[in-house]
Amino acid sequence: MILSNTIQHVFFDLDHTLWDFDKNSHLAFEQIFNNDFPEIKIEDFITAYIPINQACWKLYQKDQITHNELRYKRLKDSFDAINYAISDDEIEQIAVDYLTYLPENNHLFDGAIAILDYLQPKYNLHIITNGFAEVQEKKLTNAKIGHYFKTITNSEKAGVKKPNPIIFDYAITAANAKKENAIMIGDCIDADVLGAINFGMDAIFFSVNPSETPANIKQINHLSDLKNYL
């Protein structure tokens, strides 16, 4: 399963790939609700929020909603789903507080540090993320993994989001790399894996829970499984 020794650059997604978004998000909402909405059952909200947030991000990746619409819609739809009446002003304050608290949590997926330590001497490591630039920088800093990466490309810098080939071209150029010498690792089939493949890069799909994927797509279920390829 080892890839060609021509690979020199490894590009990671951040959220849901290295940085445990769901766990850190849960902690951020827990802090907000404990402070301001103690009557809300956090588990009920999170159960509604996770699929709604994913659906909103897909719309955002396709430029069907804006950054501000994403921030509002994922919360409003989640509160509607649990039948909790809330004002737009309260939603705006929660959105602000959430993006403040979220990067203060720094849980990574199991094996993240170990695999970065393993890969760093062998490859040039990079990040490509659709996340908001300021928040992503804080995540990398607070989780103490920013030093592993030579370049960090976000959608605000590139002007487009994954899976648009322009963001991959931007990242490759910033890294002074060639796409035939690079590989993308991420948790989203459409944005990370097919986005990279359609651009001309190799890719590996990361999913904690084994998922059905086309036979030509490489999948790992633990970050340490990257050693089988790199």
Side-chain angles (χ1 to χ4, degrees), residues 185-204:
I185 299 154
D187 71 291
C188 181
I189 287 286
D190 290 335
D192 298 315
V193 178
L194 295 180
I197 289 171
N198 291 336
F199 172 66
M201 286 172 61
D202 203 346
I204 297 174

Side-chain angles (χ1 to χ4, degrees), residues 5-227:
N5 58 11
T6 60
I7 296 295
Q8 299 173 3
H9 297 266
V10 179
F11 292 82
F12 281 94
D13 180 39
L14 182 57
D15 294 336
H16 302 285
T17 301
L18 294 170
W19 198 80
D20 192 339
F21 182 92
D22 288 342
K23 181 179 287 187
N24 294 322
S25 178
H26 188 292
L27 291 170
F29 279 122
E30 201 169 59
Q31 187 171 354
I32 292 167
F33 293 166
N34 285 344
N35 290 342
D36 301 319
F37 302 92
E39 68 278 14
I40 294 177
K41 292 182 179 179
I42 182 69
E43 297 302 336
D44 290 346
F45 179 85
I46 292 297
T47 298
Y49 177 80
I50 289 175
I52 288 171
N53 183 49
Q54 290 172 345
C56 287
W57 270 98
K58 286 182 180 179
L59 294 174
Y60 179 65
Q61 287 166 359
K62 296 175 182 177
D63 292 320
Q64 294 177 357
I65 60 174
T66 66
H67 175 175
N68 287 334
E69 288 169 338
L70 165 66
R71 290 177 60 193
Y72 175 83
K73 180 175 173 58
R74 64 185 179 182
L75 293 173
K76 180 64 166 66
D77 289 359
S78 297
F79 285 115
D80 286 349
I82 63 171
N83 298 311
Y84 186 88
I86 191 166
S87 70
D88 284 353
D89 286 344
E90 287 174 315
I91 287 178
E92 175 57 27
Q93 187 57 55
I94 291 171
V96 170
D97 291 343
Y98 177 71
L99 291 182
T100 299
Y101 296 145
L102 182 64
E104 297 305 315
N105 301 298
N106 54 27
H107 291 280
L108 301 172
F109 279 103
D110 186 44
I113 296 295
I115 199 63
L116 292 173
D117 282 338
Y118 168 80
L119 293 172
Q120 189 181 39
K122 305 170 184 287
Y123 304 97
N124 298 297
L125 306 184
H126 312 272
I127 291 284
I128 308 179
T129 174
N130 282 349
F132 310 141
E134 183 179 355
V135 178
Q136 300 302 75
E137 291 284 355
K138 288 180 180 177
K139 290 174 184 177
L140 289 164
T141 299
N142 293 342
K144 297 180 172 59
I145 59 172
H147 65 281
Y148 287 102
F149 305 104
K150 292 187 177 294
T151 66
I152 299 168
T153 294
N154 59 65
S155 54
E156 291 175 51
K157 286 181 182 177
V160 296
K161 310 170 196 74
K162 295 175 291 183
N164 192 310
I166 291 173
I167 193 170
F168 292 98
D169 186 58
Y170 182 100
I172 284 287
T173 301
N176 195 27
K178 295 179 180 179
K179 54 187 169 184
E180 58 266 28
N181 301 131
I183 191 165
M184 178 75 201
I185 299 154
D187 71 291
C188 181
I189 287 286
D190 290 335
D192 298 315
V193 178
L194 295 180
I197 289 171
N198 291 336
F199 172 66
M201 286 172 61
D202 203 346
I204 297 174
F205 174 53
F206 170 66
S207 177
V208 173
N209 301 309
S211 304
E212 284 193 26
T213 58
N216 65 321
I217 290 179
K218 295 178 282 290
Q219 179 177 170
I220 61 169
N221 307 121
H222 190 281
L223 289 170
S224 64
D225 295 338
L226 284 173
K227 292 181 181 180

